[in-house]
Amino acid sequence: MRGDNLSEKSLSILDCYKRLLDYRNLRAWRTATGSHPECIQTDFDDSSWELFSPPGGWRRSEGERWFRKRIVVPESIYGLGLSGSRLDARFSLLAGVEIFINGENVDSAGYWFDGFYTLSRSVKPGDTFVVAIRSPAAKTDGHFGLAQIYFDKLEDAILHVGIAGSRSALLRQLSQANLVALEEQDQRALSQEPTFSPQTIPPIADILSAVNSYDKRIVRASEKLAPLTTFLVGHAHIDMNWMWPWEDTLETCRRTFRSVDILMDEFPEFVFSQSQAAIYRAMEENDPETFDLLRRRVKQGRLDVTASTWVEGDLNMASGESLVRQTTVALNYIEDRLGVRPRVCWCPDTFGHPWTYPQILKKCGVEFYYAHRCPRPEHEHLFWWEAPDGSRVLVFNEGVTYNNKVTPELVLSLPKMLKHFDVPAHLVVFGVGDHGGGPTPEDVEAVKEFARKHPELEVRFSTFAGFVETLLASPGNYPVLRDELGLELRGDLTNCGEIKKSNRRCENLLMTTEKFSSFADISSGLPYPKEELYEAWKKLLFNQFHDIIGGSLSLIHISEPTRLGMISYAVFCLK
């Protein structure tokens, strides 16, 4: 460790923090193909099996696959004694799996797995945990993405290092951009950040000693900053159909909302946001108890409904009328069932955004827009998006993932908000996503610790609308975009042509049926099939989810090119 200026060959405090996290990764698993049910036993000898380290893939077509790992608790890591620590583990695989821990079947999933487990609430050196994972044969390939462990005592110490490192990096960036004027003694203290050798990580006690001494000197400078606010929005990105069938999506929704409900009981300040009206409708029809839970949390102000569209649909291939119905059908359903009317359009994973879209949103009463794909340059990620008719919505499109974990370095998006927009606040969307999950207890605890040790920041659980309303309270000079928001994954515009053909046919059939049904009602008194058309539209809108109409879903999980054929048949029967 040194106290001189940072060099290219040394690690800053924040770099050291990231290096310390490497202990989490469980490498050197054993793997074998074939039927090995006996391997779940703790005394099984797997020494003849091949070595495998996540992340990595395998061919499921080769047969049933087993992965096995023996976890032995050491006396210490980085010199910190682990006795009495809580030990947690997380495994994430894109495949159907069964999970066994010390011979007990603790979990399973059909298509995608992301599980978090407490192995022990108080470990002692030598404690052993054997994890065995079975994946059955299938036509698609599998991917083992993540295998990690977490000792809470060590995590607390590492987080302290990360928070000090983020404070130093934040002050440095603000000072270098001339966004804060530091006194000479504060500048001198900031320049004396301890550095660490990339070859050898010293004991964490030595790291903390150096970091704490430095942090005490720069806290004085950070307290002179103007109030800065971090808005944290908890969310779960749930793909309606991607790598799994609808039945799995339903279970994902149930599990996510139950998990969030527990967090709300444990942390009264925690709030959660959820998009896509189809998710709420699915719970109402398939799990009324969970739907009642959601309704109760909405009334309490703890659940922010960002479902201004039926699904997070593709905005380029759907017709203009479909885009209108995506919004009107969703807004009317949410207002009728939950008593609120969303003001935010939530489209982080959509592959393109047409120039006319602000007009549709604004005329439906939607004022704000959250996006992730098709990011703008750094100086334009907060902007007014103006349609050809002059309608505007305020857009935040930073390009930072919508599946964030809460980590100290997230604070480093603050300087660019100050630099480009004179806004002393920023937004962080966090929570496990794609296959749902949402914020974890560790995320929420990290937020609370972050707030306690960052006196220069106001850290708050919030909503996207809360963030934007703060911006509009003292409007800045935000740029205006009069154009489309680019395209990503352009192949989705052309692949799986039968899906796109069916979509357009259904759109035409529905609109034509509406016209002729109206004419028949007026001219001949035939009853207008309102409910039948309403249900048919909802099926169409669901299948305009970006991974379905875009063809980026796993086709083995739909029995036909899409379920749109059902809509065609339903509309045909109305004639």
Side-chain angles (χ1 to χ4, degrees), residues 209-469:
S209 176
V211 166
N212 288 339
S213 175
Y214 171 72
D215 197 38
K216 288 178 182 177
R217 297 196 298 272
I218 66 170
V219 163
R220 174 181 176 275
S222 67
E223 290 174 342
K224 298 177 182 178
L225 297 176
L228 301 172
T229 305
T230 297
F231 290 84
L232 288 137
V233 176
H235 174 68
H237 182 66
I238 299 176
D239 284 321
M240 296 290 95
N241 279 100
W242 182 31
M243 298 291 181
W244 45 83
W246 175 240
E247 294 74 21
D248 199 65
T249 302
L250 288 175
E251 182 55 35
T252 294
C253 294
R254 291 190 192 99
R255 187 182 69 246
T256 297
F257 291 136
R258 295 288 178 173
S259 171
V260 166
D261 186 56
I262 292 171
L263 279 182
M264 288 180 175
D265 284 338
E266 188 174 353
F267 302 99
E269 66 274 41
F270 172 68
V271 294
F272 179 72
S273 299
Q274 187 60 58
S275 59
Q276 304 188 108
I279 289 177
Y280 297 90
R281 169 71 180 270
M283 292 296 94
E284 182 184 22
E285 292 184 334
N286 296 279
D287 190 345
E289 185 178 341
T290 295
F291 186 73
D292 288 342
L293 178 158
L294 298 175
R295 181 181 285 150
R296 185 176 73 253
R297 292 303 191 184
V298 171
K299 288 181 179 179
Q300 294 171 351
R302 306 288 301 281
L303 172 59
D304 178 45
V305 183
T306 56
S308 63
T309 55
W310 194 249
V311 295
E312 292 177 21
D314 183 277
L315 304 177
N316 291 305
M317 287 174 280
S319 69
E321 182 63 25
S322 290
L323 296 183
V324 173
R325 303 294 181 107
Q326 277 283 351
T327 306
T328 57
V329 171
L331 291 176
N332 291 338
Y333 170 81
I334 293 297
E335 187 170 28
D336 180 62
R337 298 302 200 276
L338 298 174
V340 296
R341 197 164 179 89
R343 300 162 60 201
V344 175
C345 184
W346 192 274
C347 288
D349 203 22
T350 300
F351 306 143
H353 315 260
W355 187 5
T356 51
Y357 201 41
Q359 177 179 349
I360 293 172
L361 295 176
K362 192 70 174 180
K363 291 183 182 299
C364 291
V366 178
E367 305 172 68
F368 315 132
Y369 196 74
Y370 173 68
H372 161 71
R373 294 191 182 276
C374 313
R376 303 295 299 163
E378 181 179 288
H379 62 285
E380 293 182 0
H381 66 270
L382 175 63
F383 59 93
W384 289 106
W385 190 16
E386 184 176 299
D389 77 328
S391 300
R392 286 184 173 186
V393 293
L394 188 61
V395 181
F396 185 79
N397 181 14
E398 190 176 19
V400 176
T401 179
Y402 45 89
N403 293 335
N404 278 303
K405 292 288 291 178
V406 176
T407 59
E409 60 263 42
L410 289 177
V411 72
L412 300 182
S413 64
L414 259 170
K416 61 183 178 183
M417 292 292 288
L418 276 168
K419 177 180 178 181
H420 300 303
F421 311 112
D422 196 26
V423 172
H426 72 140
L427 176 78
V428 174
V429 177
F430 71 103
V432 178
D434 291 339
H435 200 238
T440 66
E442 289 67 32
D443 285 326
V444 180
E445 289 284 8
V447 171
K448 295 178 68 176
E449 185 70 4
F450 197 69
R452 189 174 70 84
K453 292 185 177 179
H454 260 298
E456 74 277 16
L457 297 179
E458 180 186 354
V459 181
R460 67 169 78 157
F461 293 107
S462 185
T463 65
F464 185 79
F467 167 67
V468 174
E469 286 166 354

Side-chain angles (χ1 to χ4, degrees), residues 40-56:
I40 68 173
Q41 303 304 320
T42 57
D43 58 355
F44 177 78
D45 182 8
D46 60 14
S47 59
S48 62
W49 288 15
E50 296 179 6
L51 285 171
F52 178 92
S53 290

